[in-house]
Amino acid sequence: MKILLVEDEKRMADAISELLRQEHYEVDVFYDGIAGTDAIETGIYDAAVLDVMLPGKSGFDIISDARKAQITTPTLMLTAKSDVHDKVTGLDCGADDYLTKPFEVEELLARIRALCRRGSRVTEGMVTAGDLVLYTKTDMLCCTASGLEVRLSEKEYKIMEYLMSNLGQIISKERLSVKVWGFENEAEYNNVEVYISFTRKKLAFLQSKTEIKAVRGMGYELRGETRCFQNRKDALY
């Protein structure tokens, strides 16, 4: 799961990001509203945590602009203000939840888990799409039709988690690259093609009817189609 955190208090941002990483989330941190807007509008995040009072652009403005851009990323507003008017403003702007500082760590984690469940196909450690089940704690991908399973590499797992969470949607190569390798990584686009090829081979082994389709000039889409395979009883790890 990939989380966006926009918080201008560096000590607070570092503490929250470290907490989330200990819970096995991937976290991108930005310290101002302009950068936060650019980040959330990539659409690559499973959830976002936004402070309200930010330099450049407020958290309210970030989420409002994101919703206008058709970005549906589940979002938690994080602020020192406890006034009911501010909470209503945040929710009216398009936020999904609101947490007032100071807060308990367990409550923050519980709210983020709820956001991630709301925004994806993740249920009790699994992501499901078509005849596929991806186990988030073991990196195992299973085909319910054939009963076969395969272990994914780190990059293959990230690709499948993202595509399965966005079943039927076309994901651009750029978005996939940022999702898997991050903003600051210098990985070239051909890396995406290489790992898509690896992942397709795993799907072929599973005898899955779900395919990663290339959409010319646009990106990739996970969709189900009828496919024929020879019966294979071996396991691949």
Side-chain angles (χ1 to χ4, degrees):
M1 286 291 173
K2 197 173 186 71
I3 308 295
L4 169 66
L5 172 62
V6 188
E7 166 63 69
D8 65 324
E9 296 181 23
K10 194 172 188 303
R11 291 180 61 186
M12 173 71 76
D14 291 347
I16 294 175
S17 62
E18 178 59 26
L19 171 67
L20 293 176
R21 290 183 179 114
Q22 289 177 3
E23 295 295 316
H24 307 294
Y25 293 105
E26 292 183 62
V27 187
D28 286 339
V29 183
F30 297 89
Y31 304 101
D32 67 84
I34 303 300
T37 296
D38 291 341
I40 196 171
E41 291 188 0
T42 62
I44 67 171
Y45 295 99
D46 299 294
V49 179
L50 309 178
D51 189 21
V52 170
M53 303 300 292
L54 294 165
K57 181 182 287 189
S58 74
F60 294 148
D61 290 335
I62 292 175
I63 189 60
S64 180
D65 289 347
R67 297 302 184 239
K68 290 176 183 177
Q70 305 299 310
I71 301 299
T72 60
T73 303
T75 302
L76 171 68
M77 304 299 296
L78 201 61
T79 180
K81 294 185 176 182
S82 59
D83 187 89
V84 171
H85 174 73
D86 291 310
K87 296 181 179 180
V88 172
T89 299
L91 295 173
D92 284 346
C93 285
D96 298 274
D97 201 356
Y98 203 106
L99 187 60
T100 303
K101 302 175 185 176
F103 51 81
E104 295 293 331
V105 167
E106 290 303 319
E107 182 177 8
L108 173 64
L109 293 176
R111 288 174 184 257
I112 290 175
R113 287 194 296 269
L115 287 181
C116 290
R117 288 195 298 269
R118 186 180 310 174
S120 74
R121 296 169 177 265
V122 177
T123 305
E124 297 182 353
M126 300 184 297
V127 187
T128 60
D131 60 0
L132 296 173
V133 178
L134 179 63
Y135 293 94
T136 60
K137 295 183 179 180
T138 62
D139 300 344
M140 297 296 292
L141 183 65
C142 175
C143 176
T144 57
S146 67
L148 297 172
E149 63 180 17
V150 62
R151 188 179 302 279
L152 302 180
S153 70
E154 177 188 1
K155 298 295 189 295
E156 292 167 348
Y157 172 85
K158 290 180 179 180
I159 288 171
M160 284 306 301
E161 181 190 43
Y162 194 36
L163 292 177
M164 290 174 69
S165 296
N166 293 277
L167 182 66
Q169 298 183 37
I170 298 174
I171 306 298
S172 70
K173 189 179 292 187
E174 180 180 9
R175 283 177 62 184
L176 202 54
S177 177
V178 173
K179 177 72 174 181
V180 176
W181 282 273
F183 278 103
E184 299 180 359
N185 195 293
E186 297 181 355
E188 298 180 358
Y189 283 171
N190 61 1
N191 284 345
V192 175
E193 296 177 0
V194 169
Y195 278 92
I196 286 288
S197 176
F198 292 160
T199 307
R200 281 172 169 160
K201 291 178 180 178
K202 297 290 178 72
L203 292 179
F205 166 80
L206 292 176
Q207 303 179 19
S208 173
K209 296 180 180 180
T210 304
E211 288 186 307
I212 300 174
K213 303 292 289 186
V215 182
R216 186 181 297 274
M218 299 182 68
Y220 298 97
E221 177 188 359
L222 191 70
R223 65 172 76 151
E225 290 185 0
T226 302
R227 301 168 64 187
C228 297
F229 297 89
Q230 296 179 345
N231 184 39
R232 302 169 75 178
K233 298 182 179 180
D234 53 324
L236 178 63
Y237 291 94

